[in-house]
Amino acid sequence: MKRNSVIIKSNKYGLTVILDDKIPFSELLLDVADKFQESANFFKNAKMAVTFRGRMLNRAQEKELVETIVSHCGIHILCIVDEDAVNEEHYRRIMDSALEEQAKDDGFFYRGTLHSGQVLESETSIVIVGDVNSGAKVVSKGNIVILGSLRGTAYAGACGDRNCFVAALILKPVQIRIADKTVRSAITKREDHTEYRMEPKIAYIKDEHIQVKLVSKEVFHDLSPEKEQDE
């Protein structure tokens, strides 16, 4: 293993893996395998997010790195966090604020990625720490917050509650439904592997239509119970 080609550091959300950008990727994979094999006892069965830094990676390379790490140390990688830690911190604060404003007290977390054909149903609001891939579906009687990408279908307010919302760090769904309102995407591919920039958005009902907007204080104002009472 090349010295310092792979450096592992802990961060607030899990692990930061710093990668050498000079050696061939095939050699880097071997070094990653060796490095995590050495730490197998420490990380075994841990559930963490991971951030890759120091090297530009495409989706296929990220997948190979994740598979290598998992197979050599038994860690459960819940999601890949964007390498810009400052922005990630900001996005997570935004999502936490949204959840605090709107989610019910008995909402729960689901850790993991939903793949094509999988359906997740919840009697309460739900936070998904992971992705909802094309062909997967989430149904909730409350709100849906995804700390990852939504590329499948989300149905919030399944019992008819128009005050519910759907939010995600990457919002590129096939379809979003809130209560009795539905909006569909122009994306028709069965599997969407496009690289998208992390851009937290929220979908909610306003003026009888589903609005999709960047997360902001103005949006929180639209969602606030106090505003409804004033109107």
Side-chain angles (χ1 to χ4, degrees):
M1 180 175 72
K2 180 181 176 182
R3 183 175 179 82
N4 295 330
S5 65
V6 180
I7 299 173
I8 304 172
K9 293 185 177 181
S10 62
N11 62 43
K12 185 174 181 180
Y13 304 112
L15 296 176
T16 296
V17 182
I18 304 172
L19 305 170
D20 190 313
D21 65 343
K22 307 246 181 345
I23 66 175
F25 184 74
S26 58
E27 294 182 21
L28 183 66
L29 277 179
L30 295 175
D31 291 350
V32 168
D34 289 342
K35 190 73 172 182
F36 277 88
Q37 185 69 56
E38 294 173 358
S39 306
N41 290 334
F42 181 79
F43 290 123
K44 188 175 182 179
N45 295 323
K47 297 181 179 180
M48 296 182 177
V50 64
T51 299
F52 296 118
R53 285 187 179 173
R55 186 180 183 118
M56 294 295 294
L57 301 167
N58 57 38
R59 183 171 293 276
Q61 290 173 331
E62 286 184 342
K63 183 179 179 181
E64 286 189 70
L65 284 168
V66 169
E67 291 175 348
T68 299
I69 292 170
V70 170
S71 64
H72 284 81
C73 75
I75 189 175
H76 299 281
I77 295 179
L78 304 178
C79 60
I80 299 174
V81 175
D82 186 81
E83 70 171 344
D84 189 339
V86 175
N87 285 342
E88 179 65 19
E89 171 79 13
H90 175 65
Y91 294 153
R92 287 176 183 269
R93 285 203 306 268
I94 287 174
M95 290 303 180
D96 286 344
S97 296
L99 188 59
E100 182 179 346
E101 290 289 332
Q102 290 290 316
K104 299 177 182 178
D105 292 337
D106 56 353
F108 75 97
F109 286 77
Y110 176 87
R111 293 175 173 83
T113 291
L114 295 179
H115 300 284
S116 180
Q118 291 184 298
V119 178
L120 176 63
E121 298 182 356
S122 173
E123 294 289 319
T124 64
S125 295
I126 184 169
V127 177
I128 297 174
V129 184
D131 299 328
V132 178
N133 289 342
S134 302
K137 183 176 183 180
V138 183
V139 181
S140 170
K141 291 183 180 179
N143 306 307
I144 299 172
V145 176
I146 300 169
L147 298 180
S149 65
L150 169 59
R151 299 169 189 253
T153 299
Y155 180 12
C159 281
D161 187 353
R162 287 190 168 193
N163 294 316
C164 293
F165 65 81
V166 176
L169 295 182
I170 298 174
L171 193 64
K172 297 291 182 180
V174 171
Q175 176 179 292
I176 289 178
R177 181 175 179 182
I178 302 175
D180 59 337
K181 301 294 182 180
T182 302
V183 62
R184 291 179 175 82
S185 170
I187 298 173
T188 58
K189 295 177 291 185
R190 181 174 178 80
E191 293 188 9
D192 181 15
H193 299 296
T194 307
E195 295 284 347
Y196 295 110
R197 179 182 178 84
M198 190 177 293
E199 193 175 45
K201 291 184 179 181
I202 188 167
Y204 61 100
I205 294 177
K206 182 180 180 182
D207 300 329
E208 294 297 310
H209 297 285
I210 293 180
Q211 308 280 333
V212 179
K213 296 183 178 181
L214 289 170
V215 174
S216 66
K217 290 183 179 180
E218 289 73 19
V219 169
F220 292 157
H221 178 67
D222 283 345
L223 295 170
S224 67
E226 291 78 7
K227 183 175 185 295
E228 292 179 5
Q229 292 173 4
D230 292 342
E231 294 176 346

